[in-house]
Amino acid sequence: MNRRQLLVTTAATAFHPASRAATVWHLSTGYRADSFQGQTIAGFARAVEASTSAALRIQVHADNSSVPLAEIAAAVRSGKQQAGEVIMTGLAKEIPIAGADAVPFVVSSYEDAQRLWQSQRPLIERHFVARGLKVLFAVPWPPQNLYSMRPVRQADDLRGSKMRTYNATTVRIAQLLGAEPVDVPMSKVAQALSEGRIDTMITSAVTGVENKVWSAFKFFYEINAWFPKNITFANAAAFAALPVDQQEMVLRSAAVAEAAGWSASRAAAVDSMNELRRNGMRIEPAPSLLRPVIRRLGEKFSLEWLQDVGREANEVFIPFYARR
Ligand code: PCA
């Protein structure tokens, strides 16, 4: 670069209003950029950039590319990343009330899921604040259903199966069913299937489509068990360091992203079921012999969960049921 070019570049950097005060946030997620969750995050990042005239830019690192899913919350807490997205139930060991999402058969529609989030959000915010984190928004996955390689007629057919799990609550559910829990992150489901490490799993239709699971799983049962949410959050100090107008734009963009994400989840729920069907999967309601048994296991799980979590569980579930 000659002297003249250097002067021009320096002048452009110094006087361009966007570059003068540009702050870059790194946002890590364990999920894919092209899934509806990833698109919601991308929309959020675009909205922040547009509304702050690029004074704040959010660079998204999807699919565990920067920090693996299990380490994202700690990375945001320590300030290594300014923001992150994780599945909320993944935090249940530290923040038990985050596990409310995966108590089976409490939430069976998007309306229920919305009410649960309303009741849960103040508590989640409190716990996040105590950890130096700022909640931005949460978006549910479509309902969790049962995939199997072999037909399932009753709960006993699941006994001894190698059931893919993605957090502590799915592990407990597998145990209650007498299945062997096999921990596999979402991005590794296709690989685990090809290696024959799993033969059943409970997750959304979307996750089945994204992993093209139809080559192995032939049966899909609509047990509609729970609607787990992903939560996007920032390092509270990084948020507080932003000028007030930028903080406002971040929160406004977050509210818009949350609404868009819930609609995208509903649409993805329908589209992905169709996609599974188109690829030859048999989609059936929960078998009549299985239904009462998994209901009872759900009750057992709920009881254990309420005993474990204690007072905060009431703080969430009393208003949740009262709003019904
Ligand atoms: N997909 C993610 C979480 C819940 C879902 O539907 C997964 O299977 O890991």
Side-chain angles (χ1 to χ4, degrees), residues 168-191:
T169 46
T170 46
V171 168
R172 184 67 189 127
I173 288 161
Q175 287 166 344
L176 289 171
L177 287 164
E180 179 196 329
V182 183
D183 181 55
V184 180
M186 181 184 125
S187 52
K188 298 273 160 52
V189 166
Q191 189 185 331

Side-chain angles (χ1 to χ4, degrees), residues 182-303:
V182 183
D183 181 55
V184 180
M186 181 184 125
S187 52
K188 298 273 160 52
V189 166
Q191 189 185 331
L193 271 175
S194 68
E195 293 168 0
R197 292 199 291 121
I198 55 177
D199 49 27
T200 55
M201 72 173 175
I202 299 176
T203 187
S204 61
V206 168
T207 294
V209 169
E210 288 182 358
N211 287 286
K212 299 192 167 44
V213 299
W214 42 75
S215 52
F217 287 132
K218 302 294 175 204
F219 301 91
F220 179 97
Y221 300 99
E222 295 180 273
I223 59 170
N224 205 26
W226 64 89
F227 288 60
K229 292 183 289 290
N230 274 9
I231 186 162
T232 300
F233 50 95
N235 175 286
F239 180 82
L242 297 174
V244 174
D245 58 328
Q246 288 181 24
Q247 292 184 4
E248 202 172 296
M249 292 311 160
V250 168
L251 296 182
R252 237 187 255 177
S253 307
V256 171
E258 182 163 292
W262 283 68
S263 308
S265 179
R266 281 175 188 264
V270 175
D271 294 349
S272 48
M273 290 270 278
N274 290 336
E275 184 72 11
L276 292 178
R277 209 175 276 118
R278 253 201 306 281
N279 284 283
M281 284 197 70
R282 284 262 297 269
I283 298 189
E284 290 175 9
S288 56
L289 289 176
L290 177 67
R291 221 176 303 141
V293 179
I294 56 173
R295 284 259 155 209
R296 269 202 303 281
L297 293 182
E299 283 167 15
K300 190 169 158 60
F301 181 96
S302 308
L303 180 65

Side-chain angles (χ1 to χ4, degrees), residues 87 141 144 164 166 186 203-204 207 228:
I87 185 160
W141 291 91
Q144 305 292 290
R164 180 254 165 173
Y166 59 78
M186 181 184 125
T203 187
S204 61
T207 294

Side-chain angles (χ1 to χ4, degrees), residues 38-54:
Q39 285 167 5
T40 302
I41 301 267
F44 166 67
R46 274 197 308 275
V48 167
E49 182 162 345
S51 62
T52 62
S53 309

